[in-house]
Amino acid sequence: PEPGRCAHFVLRKRRFCRMVPAAGRRFCGEHGHEEEQNDRKRIPCPLDPKHTVYEDQLQKHLKKCNSREKPKPVYFVQDINAGSKDVAEIPEKQVPLSSLSIEELQNLIIKLKKASNGLELHLKEQILSHQALQEALNDPKNGESAFKHLKQQASILGNMEKLHLLGPGRCFVEFGAGRGKLSHWVDVALQNVESVQFLLVERATTRFKVDGKHKRRDSIFERLQVDIQHLCLNKVPVLEKKKLPVVGIGKHLCGAATDLALRCLVESYTTCCDGEDEEPAPKRSRAAQTEVAPHKSAGNESTTEDRKPVAGIVIALCCHHKCDWTHYVGREFFKSVGLGAVEFHYFQRMSSWATCGMRETTSKASTSEDNEDQTKDTEEHEQTLSRTESGSDTLQGILSVEERKEIGCLCKRLIDHGRVEYLQQQGYKAALQYYTEAAVSLENVLLTAVPSPSLIPEPTI
């Protein structure tokens, strides 16, 4: 062991423990039971058996153990954005994709193509940039990976600017914030704008956060460590007090997290902002909305109850294979084209075929602070499913690599179209577009939504 360090050898890590023992001891508190003169017994912690505690100090330890259940924040509402809990729709046993016969697989592909018939599958390219990132984009210190992240962030900001979402008197909510880089660049873009609030939603603790870089008094950063599934935005103190219009943003928001975020914005937050004691208004059909909206705008009769507290949504989509039928917001669309939970299960698995050529890459050229972002994206966003899902022996005889890629893209667009339909039914003008080149990221589709013209919220300054 190193001088002044614990003498316990950790087999799993193949090195000595690096903790510092007390004066006159050879072992740290965790491994103190190995000292011959120590008669006190250590037992596994009942809250987390990965660490141990002295038996005679158990009660004291339980009060301060990091694994203890902590008080829930005021904005935590159990499963508020989870969606339907009707388990009757979900089959008890789901057969793996690799276990399907050729005939069953072909039938699924036929259903997929039939359901996709008539949909807008060729998305327009809207690859934009923003002045706020020009200096960083031209910095030679940034390696290839950092440059790719910056190009994506610049395009997201460019699309936000095109939708007039970069303005004063708003609260920007970044879902799946991680280090908070996207909010950082939005803050840079709004450096001369007053009354700006940022909420960074992330369920996990995050290292190397960039929150500390924001010294401006005009913008306020707050982290919400909570799963999106349980986040009630209208109970967040700053929104409860200021009633700011919200702009929901996200870069590579994995699978079901996108659906949870959409429901968090356009259902729970919108409904709660209309009044907690009121019953939520029944959903209108798209046809009914089309008929009513012009009448209201023509007569200037729109009331505050009709106005959306969500000014816009800009989310870079990702990892459709992690979607979940329970949380999926486009269930009604799937049912309208004759599909259900079973087909959705297979389509979300097949969606990984669109990126089956993607492999984990680590650029040695990257020397910037974005290395942490690179690691996150490589591990979470740029790996395919296991071989049994993305390239099983069943597929080799009937589908080429290009055909699998085409079918995977079709699955992604079908799932995304369900999200667009959902937003349209909620009174938003939604669209999908390519926001960056495939060479930068194969997950290059951006979902945007703004309220219909008669429902646009007024900024609060």
Side-chain angles (χ1 to χ4, degrees):
E2 299 177 14
R5 302 287 178 172
C6 178
H8 173 79
F9 187 79
V10 186
L11 289 174
R12 181 173 60 87
K13 297 182 179 180
R14 299 181 181 179
R15 61 168 174 78
F16 284 95
C17 173
R18 292 174 180 167
M19 298 296 289
V20 179
R25 300 292 183 111
R26 294 181 57 240
F27 296 89
C28 67
E30 180 67 22
H31 305 115
H33 60 281
E34 297 184 25
E35 293 206 55
E36 296 179 357
Q37 67 270 28
N38 192 348
D39 297 328
R40 300 168 69 189
K41 182 181 179 183
R42 292 187 71 88
I43 61 173
C45 173
L47 299 178
D48 182 7
K50 291 182 180 178
H51 66 274
T52 61
V53 59
Y54 284 117
E55 188 174 27
D56 57 357
Q57 289 188 338
L58 177 60
Q59 295 306 316
K60 181 179 178 181
H61 170 80
L62 292 177
K63 294 178 181 179
K64 62 181 181 179
C65 178
N66 288 333
S67 299
R68 72 190 186 280
E69 185 176 357
K70 300 175 180 63
K72 297 290 190 297
V74 293
Y75 45 79
F76 181 97
V77 178
Q78 186 72 36
D79 294 330
I80 188 172
N81 305 313
S84 173
K85 295 183 179 179
D86 185 6
V87 294
E89 296 183 4
I90 304 173
E92 293 183 6
K93 186 177 181 180
Q94 296 177 332
V95 179
L97 188 61
S98 56
S99 299
L100 295 179
S101 66
I102 293 178
E103 183 180 357
E104 290 172 323
L105 187 60
Q106 288 175 332
N107 287 336
L108 273 175
I109 295 172
I110 291 172
K111 284 185 178 182
L112 173 66
K113 292 182 176 179
K114 183 180 178 181
S116 304
N117 188 30
L119 300 184
E120 182 58 52
L121 302 175
H122 300 287
L123 308 182
K124 66 176 181 179
E125 280 194 358
Q126 197 151 285
I127 303 173
L128 306 176
S129 190
H130 196 279
Q131 186 63 34
L133 288 95
Q134 290 310 305
E135 183 178 347
L137 285 168
N138 295 325
D139 188 349
K141 294 181 180 178
N142 287 321
E144 181 183 354
S145 176
F147 181 70
K148 288 182 177 181
H149 284 291
L150 290 168
K151 286 196 71 174
Q152 293 175 69
Q153 291 156 345
S155 185
I156 291 174
L157 261 67
N159 277 277
M160 291 176 67
E161 187 174 51
K162 184 173 178 132
L163 293 170
H164 308 290
L165 296 178
L166 296 177
R170 286 174 179 165
C171 178
F172 295 86
V173 182
E174 183 179 358
F175 294 94
R179 293 176 59 199
K181 292 292 284 186
L182 184 56
S183 291
H184 164 74
W185 290 117
V186 172
D187 182 55
V188 173
L190 297 174
Q191 56 184 339
N192 297 320
V193 176
E194 297 179 351
S195 301
V196 179
Q197 174 82 36
F198 290 89
L199 295 177
L200 281 63
V201 182
E202 178 60 63
R203 66 181 178 183
T205 54
T206 308
R207 300 173 65 199
F208 308 114
K209 296 185 287 287
V210 297
D211 308 25
K213 295 184 178 181
H214 309 288
K215 304 298 183 182
R216 289 199 303 120
R217 295 182 180 179
D218 296 334
S219 61
I220 303 172
F221 278 72
E222 181 181 350
R223 278 194 172 261
L224 308 180
Q225 189 175 340
V226 61
D227 194 308
I228 304 171
Q229 182 171 330
H230 312 302
L231 172 61
C232 182
L233 278 179
N234 82 299
K235 291 185 180 294
V236 176
V238 66
L239 292 177
E240 191 174 24
K241 180 180 178 181
K242 297 184 179 180
K243 304 295 183 184
L244 296 173
V246 162
V247 177
I249 60 177
K251 176 176 174 283
H252 287 177
L253 195 56
C254 277
T258 293
D259 300 298
L260 295 172
L262 293 179
R263 194 174 279 110
C264 175
L265 289 165
V266 306
E267 283 191 44
S268 62
Y269 183 55
T270 301
T271 302
C272 291
C273 283
D274 287 342
E276 292 186 10
D277 298 330
E278 299 177 8
E279 290 293 327
K283 295 181 182 178
R284 294 179 295 172
S285 65
R286 292 174 61 189
Q289 290 175 352
T290 306
E291 293 173 4
V292 176
H295 173 73
K296 286 191 173 183
S297 59
N300 293 325
E301 297 177 0
S302 61
T303 65
T304 55
E305 294 178 359
D306 294 320
R307 306 182 73 82
K308 298 287 186 185
V310 177
I313 300 170
V314 180
I315 294 176
L317 304 173
C318 179
C319 298
H320 294 72
H321 63 272
K322 292 186 178 180
C323 290
D324 187 286
W325 177 255
T326 302
H327 304 316
Y328 181 52
V329 296
R331 290 194 302 260
E332 293 302 318
F333 163 70
F334 258 63
K335 292 176 183 177
S336 71
V337 291
L339 303 174
V342 175
E343 290 81 9
F344 180 84
H345 165 72
Y346 290 121
F347 291 165
Q348 51 127 167
R349 308 308 287 179
M350 291 159 65
S351 69
S352 66
W353 296 353
T355 55
C356 63
M358 197 176 263
R359 292 291 181 267
E360 181 177 353
T361 56
T362 303
S363 173
K364 295 181 180 179
S366 180
T367 58
S368 76
E369 62 181 5
D370 279 334
N371 278 336
E372 187 73 13
D373 277 337
Q374 172 191 340
T375 303
K376 177 183 176 184
D377 270 16
T378 300
E379 292 179 352
E380 295 184 8
H381 307 296
E382 298 186 356
Q383 287 185 351
T384 59
L385 299 180
S386 63
R387 176 176 172 79
T388 57
E389 296 292 348
S390 62
S392 66
D393 295 336
T394 307
L395 305 175
Q396 301 299 330
I398 60 172
L399 296 173
S400 66
V401 172
E402 285 302 316
E403 287 173 330
R404 290 204 302 275
K405 182 178 178 181
E406 181 182 348
I407 291 170
C409 288
L410 207 57
C411 291
K412 283 177 174 284
R413 296 296 75 81
L414 189 69
I415 293 172
D416 290 340
H417 187 81
R419 290 164 169 166
V420 170
E421 287 265 332
Y422 165 79
L423 289 168
Q424 290 173 342
Q425 290 175 4
Q426 296 287 336
Y428 290 82
K429 182 181 178 183
L432 297 166
Q433 52 264 314
Y434 293 119
Y435 77 102
T436 192
E437 300 90 348
V440 173
S441 173
L442 291 182
E443 298 283 17
N444 61 342
V445 174
L446 189 71
L447 172 65
T448 62
V450 292
S452 298
S454 61
L455 302 175
I456 297 176
E458 297 176 355
T460 304
I461 301 178

